[in-house]
Amino acid sequence: MIIDALVSRFFGKSLLATFAMLAGFTCYAQHYLTSEITVNDPGRQRIGDLLDRISESQGFYFAYNSDAVNAERMVSLRDYRGPLVDFLRQTLGDGYEFKESPGYVIIRYAPGTMELTVHVEKERGRPLVVEGQIKDARNEKGIYQASIYERNVLVSTLSGPTGNFRLTIKRPEETVWLTISKENYRDTTIALLPPVQVRSTQKGRRYWFYPTDDIGAGLEGTAFGRFFTSSKQRIQRINLGGFFAYNPYQVSFTPGLSSQGLFNSQVVNQVSLNVIGGHTAGVNGIEVGGVFNINQTNVRHFQVGGVFNLVGNNVAGVQVAGASNIVMQGVSGVQVAGVNNRTGSVSGAQLAGAFNVAKDIRGIQIAGIVNVAKRVTGVQLAALVNVADSSDYPIGIVNLVKNGSKSVTAGLDESGMAQLTFRSGGRVLYGLIGAGYYVNGNPMRYALETGLGLYIMQAGAFGLDGEVVHRASTDFKKDSESRLSFRLLPQLSLGRHWAAVVGPTVNYAYPHGQNEPSKALRLGIYGGVRYRW
């Protein structure tokens, strides 16, 4: 990297500012890359296997984009003993850049180098203004849409079509660390030092690396994410990769009007307040949004959005939205929405006024209309429908469980009602819905039944079920009757699909629409033929 025009007026006087070049984006003492490794008789092998063995022996992980490093490529190597960074350069070539973050060595394809020209303007009582141009060191062409940011006060901008940029920085009495990042180029960091610096009140800022090739890209696969993520924020994500900073708080009016400006999508905050909405890297504390919250990575502890929340990775804690929560990976805690929740996995509770969608549930899933999941270890409770690949405890009228059971029964009870009933559920609980017609001349001829059942036992061809059923009968004019029944139903299998069912019932009926309603407790019997699949 080359830096031109290293002389500028820093405080509006004839004092020179000193520029120091730093290597990479590392915020702590390096030790992984300079540590000594030994590779004995490696022979011919996959690069991926070789990196895995080195990381296991050294106690860290390699992070790289699979498009940049072909893990399947075969290499032939000799015995090696020396620094890790030299081994990586010999194996991968000079077109790669190597960085460190706690627990990780990041391999980044960066064949290009940048040339930086900087001019600094400072007037007493005003912020520091840094202007400059970024060029490709090989062909002297300006580099468009490179990210320029100060990594302590967290302000940033993007370079223009000719590589020009202008960055305004507050608190100029402190050292300014200016970093330039661009995809496929090596990062460049310079320090702008005041002429006399007896002490610094600046606290070291914490940085974090998330080892995922497509970090934050999941947001752009959603309609909300595409609409509320600007092209500049997407470019920042590509340029900076998985690097993020921590900050105590941020305030946004909208995603484009934030106390952290363009850098807001790269900062994890402890407290985040969004008047209308905000877009941050994540939250490790509390976030409140008047309309919406968008987070590129993780949310921990508590998040509430007036309309919706959109999280690129995981939520650990409580997430509440007036309408919708969308979490791209998983929720550990409680997720509550007025209309719908959608996530990959849930460990805890998922509650929605209308419907929930998840892959894995460990806990409880409750919806006003529909629950959808794949594997459920716990309970699904829906007013109408539960859908799952496996769910032993679905509570709903219709339960479409892939490894569960479904049946249709044609039956008749002591009241003279002939009925056709659909039963569906898991291996323990099931729901039922049926329609019936009284064949004995009852004026309230039509009936609808809904209920919940339990598979009590199954021993060979013999089975025993218990059911609680509500029946609503009507003549579709003015009279109606409700009946609550408990059924104990032995059944005898007649082959793979057919079974005969007959058993006692206890019924409690209470009519509606009459001047003096009467209630009655009666014993009865229910029987029929069942087809199951």
Side-chain angles (χ1 to χ4, degrees):
M1 277 80 67
I2 302 173
I3 300 179
D4 294 330
L6 302 183
V7 179
S8 171
R9 292 184 180 272
F10 192 63
F11 285 104
K13 300 178 181 179
S14 58
L15 300 173
L16 301 181
T18 305
F19 292 78
M21 181 69 70
L22 303 179
F25 189 164
T26 302
C27 55
Y28 64 101
Q30 295 185 0
H31 58 280
Y32 298 141
L33 290 172
T34 57
S35 62
E36 189 172 274
I37 66 167
T38 300
V39 179
N40 294 321
D41 190 24
R44 184 171 176 80
Q45 56 190 284
R46 292 174 62 253
I47 285 182
D49 295 336
L50 180 61
L51 295 179
D52 288 343
R53 281 199 295 273
I54 294 174
S55 65
E56 289 175 4
S57 65
Q58 298 298 312
F60 60 81
Y61 296 97
F62 283 105
Y64 53 86
N65 190 314
S66 57
D67 293 333
V69 179
N70 184 4
E72 301 297 325
R73 183 166 68 91
M74 303 297 293
V75 292
S76 297
L77 300 172
R78 300 177 180 177
D79 292 344
Y80 177 83
R81 182 179 179 86
L84 171 62
V85 63
D86 292 341
F87 177 79
L88 293 175
R89 287 181 182 135
Q90 292 177 19
T91 304
L92 300 176
D94 294 333
Y96 289 86
E97 180 182 41
F98 312 106
K99 304 179 184 180
E100 295 185 0
S101 186
Y104 294 96
V105 169
I106 302 98
I107 302 175
R108 181 171 175 263
Y109 183 64
T113 56
M114 292 181 284
E115 182 178 285
L116 176 65
T117 302
V118 175
H119 175 72
V120 181
E121 294 181 357
K122 177 65 180 75
E123 295 183 14
R124 186 177 300 276
R126 293 188 177 183
L128 180 71
V129 177
V130 181
E131 293 182 332
Q133 186 179 26
I134 305 166
K135 296 181 180 180
D136 188 303
R138 296 178 181 178
N139 55 30
E140 295 292 319
K141 292 184 178 180
I143 298 177
Y144 181 41
Q145 291 185 333
S147 296
I148 305 99
Y149 58 94
E150 207 291 328
R151 65 188 202 181
N152 288 312
V153 297
L154 301 180
V155 294
S156 66
T157 188
L158 294 174
S159 60
T162 62
N164 291 334
F165 69 90
R166 177 183 175 90
L167 188 65
T168 301
I169 303 172
K170 298 180 181 179
R171 298 186 298 171
E173 71 279 0
E174 300 176 352
T175 302
V176 174
W177 299 94
L178 198 65
T179 301
I180 300 92
S181 294
K182 175 65 177 175
E183 185 183 19
N184 295 333
Y185 284 86
R186 303 196 178 196
D187 285 358
T188 300
T189 302
I190 61 173
L192 307 182
L193 304 176
V196 177
Q197 187 175 23
V198 178
R199 65 182 180 89
S200 175
T201 60
Q202 178 177 298
K203 297 181 180 180
R205 185 174 297 281
R206 289 194 302 150
Y207 291 92
W208 168 54
F209 173 74
Y210 195 94
T212 303
D213 291 349
D214 57 351
I215 181 70
L219 296 182
E220 297 162 21
T222 67
F224 285 152
R226 289 191 299 271
F227 184 80
F228 289 103
T229 302
S230 68
S231 59
K232 290 185 177 180
Q233 288 172 323
R234 290 193 286 270
I235 292 168
Q236 282 274 52
R237 177 182 63 79
I238 294 171
N239 287 343
L240 303 184
F243 284 100
F244 299 92
Y246 286 99
N247 202 53
Y249 68 93
Q250 77 89 30
V251 178
S252 295
F253 186 74
T254 65
L257 297 175
S258 166
S259 59
Q260 293 164 349
L262 182 60
F263 209 82
N264 61 347
S265 60
Q266 299 296 131
V267 182
V268 177
N269 302 281
Q270 288 182 301
V271 178
S272 178
L273 176 61
N274 304 308
V275 179
I276 294 178
H279 182 172
T280 69
V283 175
N284 190 22
I286 299 174
E287 182 169 53
V288 178
V291 178
F292 65 88
N293 301 302
I294 298 177
N295 306 97
Q296 193 168 322
T297 58
N298 301 312
V299 170
R300 295 184 61 195
H301 303 309
F302 182 76
Q303 182 184 58
V304 57
V307 178
F308 73 89
N309 296 307
L310 176 59
V311 178
N313 288 337
N314 300 293
V315 170
V318 178
Q319 184 184 49
V320 181
S324 176
N325 288 311
I326 300 175
V327 179
M328 305 307 295
Q329 293 191 14
V331 174
S332 176
V334 179
Q335 189 179 44
V336 182
V339 179
N340 77 288
N341 293 305
R342 176 172 295 182
T343 186
S345 63
V346 175
S347 179
Q350 190 179 45
L351 304 91
F355 61 92
N356 291 307
V357 177
K359 292 182 179 179
D360 296 323
I361 299 290
R362 297 180 62 87
I364 187 168
Q365 188 182 44
I366 302 175
I369 300 176
V370 179
N371 285 316
V372 178
K374 288 191 174 181
R375 294 172 296 274
V376 179
T377 304
V379 177
Q380 277 185 307
L381 173 60
L384 291 180
V385 180
N386 292 305
V387 180
D389 286 352
S390 63
S391 179
D392 291 342
Y393 301 93
I395 302 174
I397 295 175
V398 176
N399 305 286
L400 304 179
V401 181
K402 188 175 182 180
N403 71 346
S405 64
K406 304 172 189 66
S407 67
V408 175
T409 304
L412 183 69
D413 65 16
E414 83 292 339
S415 67
M417 191 187 82
Q419 56 190 275
L420 195 64
T421 305
F422 174 69
R423 291 171 171 84
S424 58
R427 293 180 296 182
V428 179
L429 296 180
Y430 63 89
L432 64 91
I433 181 170
Y437 180 83
Y438 284 95
V439 296
N440 60 357
N442 190 321
M444 290 176 288
R445 295 183 178 182
Y446 308 98
L448 176 68
E449 286 191 341
T450 57
L452 177 67
L454 169 68
Y455 297 117
I456 299 175
M457 63 168 292
Q458 182 69 44
F462 177 78
L464 181 64
D465 301 342
E467 297 179 350
V468 177
V469 181
H470 177 267
R471 177 187 298 176
S473 304
T474 182
D475 60 0
F476 288 112
K477 293 181 180 179
K478 63 178 181 178
D479 292 331
S480 63
E481 181 184 72
S482 294
R483 176 170 128 164
L484 185 65
S485 301
F486 171 74
R487 299 170 178 168
L488 193 62
L489 301 179
Q491 57 183 297
L492 180 65
S493 296
L494 305 173
R496 181 178 178 183
H497 296 290
W498 294 94
V501 180
V502 62
T505 66
V506 179
N507 309 298
Y508 182 71
Y510 41 102
H512 302 284
Q514 300 180 11
N515 293 330
E516 296 181 358
S518 61
K519 301 179 181 180
L521 184 66
R522 302 183 181 92
L523 298 178
I525 189 169
Y526 173 90
V529 179
R530 178 174 298 174
Y531 179 82
R532 59 192 176 194
W533 67 95

